[in-house]
């Protein structure tokens, strides 16, 4: 069980020396209890207190980083079983797998795709995470060449997959300093794999079937000095994956079996069920997902699902308030007001672009609430609109003084006119009708 702040405080030395970076031991205790500080920051803790605090205040699932530099990604450090309990913090890395027997130009093409492909959805850039190289040839020199081909094309996180420790020796000479994830340590080879992981400071996948075997292997690897672990559950089927991943997550989150507190690896490559496997991995706790290069449709579906699952359910996705342009609006262009709930913004923006009428979108800060909710909650009101017009200098952007407001905010129209001195036109309730509305109702004003 996690300790409460007061229990943590009792274990601290109470020197109030600020060496941990906090002004008092109590503030440090509060941070520790909520998992936002590390025990090692206090140099005065005795070993017994330290081990109690480590076991109770560290995140139940360790944070593991794959790769170095801008595209590196971190997984783990999750606190809940269900997203609605709090949120999921670290989205899974999704990596495209290539075989070392593939022609170098094909390996390069996959690498460049991962480097360059970018989807933008609701204002967020979405990318795949890296390349997994499999030693299907069984030959160390072929594996090393394929790894070098990827490394020469882009700085991306890598997963190296081989049953052969000699192949890892050869490949890690090329890319060891980039901290690739190496797959995998088993009961048979874990000493050699741990030595490699330690030598190159790489994260290591451990591979065993069932929570008990995984916990025991994790313990053995930690004893060998390899602490950055990710667990391959060796599922026999997708159903088996759900059963084991759920059991592992439950045992880790509740701290019933701390040795299972590591992120989960999933090989989703499957001739017929790959899309289903990826979806399952994303929603059922996989932190590193390996797939074959995906079709554009599957790629978008995977990234969209990952984005949806790994956003905070308590925070609506918001746009920055401001004045946005659609096309190149002139001083006579219409001005449409709406809220900063990103789905509202992008829906309206899409319909405005299709209307081919250049215009301004005045986005006001309703803390991410939709129009209807913001009106009901009083967040969308005449004062906010008046202040936003001033703040974003709308008076100088257009010479007319007409504001189009969303249909659901019609009850505010009189008060907005009074507070701003602008004429208010009430637009449609449904953003899909905005193009037709503008074409029929908007008359270009004369200066
Ligand atoms: Fe207290 Fe330790 Fe922080 Fe000093 S370093 S203020 S003793 S928690």
């Amino acid at each position: 069980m996690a300790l409460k702040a007061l229990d943590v405080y009792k274990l601290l030395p109470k020197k109030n020396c600020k060496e941990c970076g906090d002004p008092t031991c109590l503030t440090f205790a509060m941070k520790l209890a909520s998992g936002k500080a590390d025990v090692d920051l206090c140099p005065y803790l005795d070993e017994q207190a330290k081990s109690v605090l480590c076991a109770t205040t560290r995140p139940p699932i360790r944070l593991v980083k794959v790769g170095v530099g801008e595209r590196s990604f971190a997984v783990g450090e999750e606190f809940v079983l269900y997203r609605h309990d709090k949120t999921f913090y670290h989205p899974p890395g999704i990596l495209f797998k290539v075989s070392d027997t593939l022609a170098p130009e094909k390996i390069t093409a996959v690498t460049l795709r991962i480097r360059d492909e970018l989807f933008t959805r609701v204002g967020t850039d979405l990318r795949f995470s890296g390349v997994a190289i499999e030693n299907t040839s069984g030959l160390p020199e072929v594996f090393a060449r394929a790894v070098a081909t990827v490394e020469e094309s882009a700085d991306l996180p890598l997963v190296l997959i081989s049953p052969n420790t000699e192949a890892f020796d050869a490949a890690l000479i090329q890319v060891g300093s980039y901290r690739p994830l190496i797959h995998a340590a088993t009961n048979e080879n874990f000493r050699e794999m741990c030595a490699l992981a330690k030598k190159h400071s790489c994260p290591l996948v451990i591979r065993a079937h069932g929570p008990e075997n995984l916990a025991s292997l994790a313990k053995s690897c930690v004893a060998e000095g390899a602490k950055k672990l990710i667990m391959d559950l060796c599922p026999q089927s997708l159903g088996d994956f759900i059963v084991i991943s759920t059991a592992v997550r439950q045992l880790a989150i509740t701290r019933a079996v701390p040795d299972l507190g590591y992120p989960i690896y999933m090989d989703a490559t499957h001739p017929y069920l790959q899309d289903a496997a990826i979806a399952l991995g994303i929603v059922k706790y996989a932190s590193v997902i390996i797939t074959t290069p995906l079709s554009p449709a599957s790629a978008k579906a995977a990234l969209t699902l990952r984005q949806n699952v790994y956003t905070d359910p308590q925070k609506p996705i918001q746009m920055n308030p401001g004045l946005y342009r659609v096309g190149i609006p002139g001083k006579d262009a219409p001005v449409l007001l709406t809220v900063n709930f990103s789905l509202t913004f992008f829906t309206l923006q899409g319909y405005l672009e299709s209307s081919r009428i250049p215009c301004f979108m005045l986005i006001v800060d309703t803390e991410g609430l939709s129009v209807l909710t913001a009106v009901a909650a009083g967040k969308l009101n005449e004062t906010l609109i008046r202040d936003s017009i001033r703040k974003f200098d709308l008076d100088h952007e257009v010479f007319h003084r007409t504001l189009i407001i969303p249909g659901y905010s019609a009850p505010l129209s009189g008060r907005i006119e009074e507070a701003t001195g602008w004429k208010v036109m009430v637009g449609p309730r449904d953003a899909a009708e905005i193009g037709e509305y503008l074409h029929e109702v908007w008359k270009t004003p004369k200066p």
Side-chain angles (χ1 to χ4, degrees):
M1 281 292 288
L3 288 184
K4 296 212 167 95
L6 207 54
D7 302 321
V8 174
Y9 180 67
K10 284 180 193 158
L11 293 166
L12 295 180
K14 299 181 212 42
K15 289 176 185 277
N16 287 318
C17 63
K18 303 185 186 173
E19 282 186 46
C20 54
D22 277 295
T24 64
C25 297
L26 187 58
T27 48
F28 184 68
M30 285 156 75
K31 276 197 191 168
L32 265 184
S34 59
K36 290 180 184 145
D38 197 284
V39 171
D40 291 338
L41 289 172
C42 175
Y44 303 109
L45 278 167
D46 62 47
E47 281 311 311
Q48 199 192 344
K50 206 168 178 174
S51 81
V52 172
L53 288 171
C54 278
T56 50
T57 63
R58 281 198 167 147
I61 298 177
R62 279 80 155 179
L63 188 74
V64 178
K65 198 173 158 193
V66 180
V68 294
E70 212 185 309
R71 294 286 294 267
S72 64
F73 64 91
V75 290
E77 208 165 82
E78 301 293 348
F79 295 86
V80 291
L81 193 58
Y82 302 111
R83 174 178 176 266
H84 61 257
D85 284 342
K86 193 172 173 133
T87 185
F88 294 164
Y89 289 97
H90 294 96
I94 305 177
L95 300 95
F96 287 179
K97 183 159 86 172
V98 293
S99 161
D100 64 354
T101 54
L102 212 58
E105 56 277 16
K106 290 194 174 163
I107 295 179
T108 303
V110 173
T111 309
L112 294 181
R113 179 179 165 195
I114 297 280
R115 186 190 71 180
D116 299 333
E117 195 164 79
L118 173 72
F119 298 96
T120 302
R121 183 172 173 272
V122 285
T124 305
D125 290 341
L126 308 175
R127 291 176 182 277
F128 287 101
S129 314
V131 183
I133 306 130
E134 187 171 34
N135 179 214
T136 32
S137 70
L139 302 170
E141 61 279 12
V142 176
F143 190 46
R145 256 201 313 277
V147 170
T149 304
V150 174
E151 191 264 321
E152 281 158 16
S153 311
D155 291 337
L156 291 170
L158 304 176
V159 176
L160 309 184
I161 305 166
S162 176
N164 180 352
T165 47
E166 278 173 35
F168 282 119
D169 266 333
L172 287 169
I173 290 171
Q174 312 273 352
V175 295
S177 57
Y178 296 108
R179 314 265 159 85
L181 175 62
I182 55 176
H183 181 287
T186 59
N187 274 325
E188 289 70 44
N189 70 359
F190 74 89
R191 286 196 180 83
E192 295 91 320
M193 290 300 289
C194 288
L196 277 168
K198 259 173 71 182
K199 182 174 167 194
H200 296 280
S201 299
C202 293
L204 170 68
V205 180
I206 60 169
R207 186 173 156 80
H209 189 263
E212 272 178 28
N213 295 331
L214 280 162
S216 148
L217 183 55
K219 212 171 180 173
S220 306
C221 289
V222 170
E224 291 290 319
K227 295 183 179 167
K228 292 177 278 179
L229 303 179
I230 293 185
M231 299 184 299
D232 181 347
L233 315 178
C234 290
Q236 312 293 316
S237 64
L238 294 186
D240 196 29
F241 179 84
I242 297 178
V243 171
I244 305 175
S245 67
T246 306
V248 163
R249 178 78 160 222
Q250 259 169 349
L251 293 167
I253 292 290
T254 56
R255 300 179 196 266
V257 183
D259 292 325
L260 289 174
Y262 298 98
I264 291 172
Y265 174 98
M266 180 198 218
D267 183 347
T269 56
H270 189 287
Y272 311 111
L273 292 173
Q274 182 162 270
D275 287 343
I278 296 168
L280 196 68
I282 292 170
V283 297
K284 278 292 168 194
Y285 316 129
S287 287
V288 173
I289 300 175
I290 307 298
T291 82
T292 58
L294 297 173
S295 69
S298 296
K300 266 193 178 178
L303 292 175
T304 302
L305 179 64
R306 184 180 68 174
Q307 183 190 29
N308 287 343
V309 172
Y310 281 83
T311 48
D312 188 339
Q314 292 164 55
K315 286 191 203 147
I317 310 172
Q318 300 179 29
M319 295 296 298
N320 287 329
L323 192 63
Y324 291 77
R325 288 167 168 74
V326 178
I328 307 172
K331 286 196 172 267
D332 57 357
V335 180
L336 294 105
L337 172 112
T338 197
V339 294
N340 72 328
F341 177 40
S342 64
L343 284 181
T344 302
F345 174 89
F346 286 105
T347 308
L348 181 63
Q349 187 193 42
Y351 286 118
L352 288 171
E353 280 169 354
S354 322
S355 78
R356 302 194 175 276
I357 298 179
C359 59
F360 291 97
M361 295 171 71
L362 176 62
I363 304 302
V364 296
D365 187 1
T366 55
E367 297 167 20
L369 297 180
S370 67
V371 174
L372 201 55
T373 321
V375 171
K379 298 273 181 195
L380 182 61
N381 56 51
E382 64 281 10
T383 312
L384 172 70
I385 296 169
R386 181 197 63 205
D387 294 347
S388 301
I389 288 175
R390 285 183 192 156
K391 186 172 173 191
F392 303 119
D393 212 14
L394 204 47
D395 283 342
H396 292 101
E397 295 287 351
V398 290
F399 58 69
H400 62 79
R401 296 291 176 265
T402 304
L403 191 63
I404 302 172
I405 63 171
Y408 282 115
S409 60
L412 303 175
S413 59
R415 275 181 274 156
I416 298 171
E417 286 193 340
E418 241 169 65
T420 63
W422 284 52
K423 181 185 165 202
V424 169
M425 290 170 64
V426 178
R429 290 183 168 192
D430 185 345
E433 292 165 15
I434 194 67
E436 203 181 325
Y437 172 87
L438 287 176
H439 282 290
E440 281 177 10
V441 178
W442 178 254
K443 307 278 179 264
T444 307
K446 301 272 178 290

